[in-house]
Amino acid sequence: MKKWPRQHVRLFIALLIMLVVLVATHILFVRPLAVKVRSDRAYISNTKNELGHSGWPLDPGRLETYVQLKKTELEGGRPDGALKDKKEITGIKQKSQQILQRCTGTLSSSVKKIFETHSDFTHDVTRLDYQEEYNNLEIKLASRDIYLSESILGLGEKTQTQNIYQLVLQVWVLDKLTTLVTQSGLRVQADDKVIIQDEKGRKKPAARLQFMPVTEYRLYDEDKSPYVMAIPIRLALYGTVESLYSFLGKIQSGDNFFPVSQIQMSLVPDIRNDDTQLSVEARIIKVEIECSAFYFPTGEGSGEPVRSKPAPPKILPEGA
């Protein structure tokens, strides 16, 4: 066999090397890209079919207009192309802030009177602060013939918990609601089976006031601090229908927000026997109401930054 010239041998080796490079390039680069292109085309085709069945506009212009409309609904403002005299839309974010401000304003205003920030309140309030608040309220209510019992109320001077600030919030809720009860002309029912002693040693029936477990709402399961807290309380009251109507109005007016979740009423007959006839009238009603207060721990729900105060955030007076 005749030997190839050296130039032909070199050309053949170069050709083999090029073929190997081409095959390797196809296997390593071209083929995966071709597979990805086919996958992307199938995905785009399936997505178009799904969007076509969902009713979403496939035209980019219409879709952009729809996106802007949704952004306006979220952020608020006047829609693009709207007339100047048309009212601006209140965004969902602003509405949520207004709702949180309305729901949590009752307790947030109490915190702002004493503490610089809500973080100071949740971290710096002490058991001594709580005991001082509870004792002051206990004395105030006793002057109205309302005597607290830890066994009924679920709250007492020695109540133990890791979150002391929640106990302070419960005291403030009880103080506010009992004040509204008195202003409305209602009275708190007493439990004759639970007897306590006042400061003078006299035996008194305990008031039927009961705190229910605090409910914490979190946006995500992994959140350490709650987004919003609900502090429910059950009140057993009696009085006239007019007084009850006044009370229900007061707990939902002004800065007060104590929505009622349960209510149960019963009539107390008033029997009168005069010279002519025996009459039975229902003038007094007994009512059990369960309502809740709400607190936003970070204070963002108020919609306003917490104002700084020069005074240190303490409930107890100096030297107490």
Side-chain angles (χ1 to χ4, degrees):
M1 184 176 180
K2 189 176 179 179
K3 225 174 183 184
W4 284 12
R6 182 173 294 179
Q7 293 86 349
H8 292 184
V9 172
R10 291 177 179 174
L11 184 61
F12 180 74
I13 294 174
L15 181 61
L16 288 177
I17 293 174
M18 290 180 62
L19 288 174
V20 172
V21 171
L22 288 174
V23 171
T25 302
H26 178 78
I27 295 175
L28 297 177
F29 300 101
V30 177
R31 187 176 179 181
L33 288 176
V35 173
K36 185 176 185 302
V37 169
R38 287 196 299 269
S39 176
D40 290 344
R41 285 178 176 175
Y43 173 76
I44 292 173
S45 178
N46 293 333
T47 303
K48 285 184 176 180
N49 292 332
E50 291 178 1
L51 290 176
H53 290 91
S54 66
W56 286 84
L58 301 183
D59 179 66
R62 292 179 57 196
L63 190 59
E64 180 65 24
T65 303
Y66 188 78
V67 170
Q68 292 299 327
L69 177 61
K70 291 302 178 183
K71 285 184 178 180
T72 303
E73 292 178 357
L74 179 64
E75 303 290 344
R78 186 180 288 107
D80 294 340
L83 299 177
K84 293 184 178 180
D85 57 350
K86 188 174 181 179
K87 293 184 178 179
E88 293 187 357
I89 298 176
T90 303
I92 295 176
K93 286 185 177 181
Q94 185 178 356
K95 288 181 180 179
S96 65
Q97 291 179 353
Q98 293 174 352
I99 292 173
L100 279 175
Q101 182 180 4
R102 177 72 179 102
C103 295
T104 63
T106 303
L107 292 177
S108 294
S109 60
S110 299
V111 173
K112 291 180 183 179
K113 293 178 182 177
I114 305 170
F115 291 86
E116 293 183 1
T117 65
H118 289 267
S119 178
D120 290 340
F121 170 63
T122 57
H123 293 91
D124 296 345
V125 68
T126 66
R127 176 165 290 278
L128 288 177
D129 296 328
Y130 160 68
Q131 290 175 340
E132 179 73 10
E133 289 288 296
Y134 181 84
N135 290 333
N136 290 339
L137 177 61
E138 193 175 29
I139 295 173
K140 181 194 297 185
L141 295 182
S143 65
R144 305 177 191 168
D145 293 329
I146 302 174
Y147 301 93
L148 303 180
S149 170
E150 184 175 1
S151 61
I152 298 179
L153 184 62
L155 188 70
E157 184 178 355
K158 298 181 180 179
T159 301
Q160 299 292 330
T161 183
Q162 293 181 348
N163 299 323
I164 302 298
Y165 74 94
Q166 293 186 5
L167 301 181
V168 177
L169 292 175
Q170 287 179 314
V171 171
W172 289 346
V173 169
L174 181 61
D175 186 11
K176 187 65 176 179
L177 283 174
T178 50
T179 299
L180 296 178
V181 167
T182 303
Q183 292 176 354
S184 302
L186 293 171
R187 302 291 300 273
V188 177
Q189 296 183 33
D191 192 340
D192 296 332
K193 297 180 181 179
V194 180
I195 304 299
I196 62 172
Q197 289 185 345
D198 60 9
E199 294 181 350
K200 297 181 180 181
R202 296 173 298 185
K203 295 183 178 181
K204 300 289 184 179
R208 293 183 58 189
L209 303 170
Q210 180 184 9
F211 275 108
M212 312 305 291
V214 175
T215 304
E216 298 181 349
Y217 298 95
R218 289 174 168 79
L219 291 179
Y220 306 100
D221 295 337
E222 60 271 15
D223 288 351
K224 294 182 179 179
S225 59
Y227 177 65
V228 172
M229 292 169 41
I231 305 175
I233 183 173
R234 184 173 296 170
L235 313 169
L237 312 172
Y238 70 93
T240 63
V241 175
E242 291 77 10
S243 299
L244 176 61
Y245 181 79
S246 174
F247 175 72
L248 294 177
K250 290 180 183 297
I251 62 177
Q252 295 280 16
S253 62
D255 294 334
N256 300 324
F257 186 80
F258 300 97
V260 176
S261 57
Q262 295 183 22
I263 185 169
Q264 180 178 348
M265 293 183 292
S266 59
L267 299 175
V268 180
D270 181 19
I271 302 177
R272 295 184 302 158
N273 189 3
D274 54 25
D275 296 337
T276 58
Q277 62 180 353
L278 180 67
S279 62
V280 179
E281 297 181 0
R283 296 182 177 180
I284 304 299
I285 62 171
K286 288 185 177 181
V287 57
E288 292 188 11
I289 300 177
E290 183 174 322
C291 54
S292 301
F294 296 89
Y295 180 64
F296 197 83
T298 63
E300 297 175 2
S302 61
E304 300 177 357
V306 181
R307 297 186 299 273
S308 298
K309 292 181 172 53
K314 289 295 181 182
I315 294 179
L316 290 175
E318 296 183 2

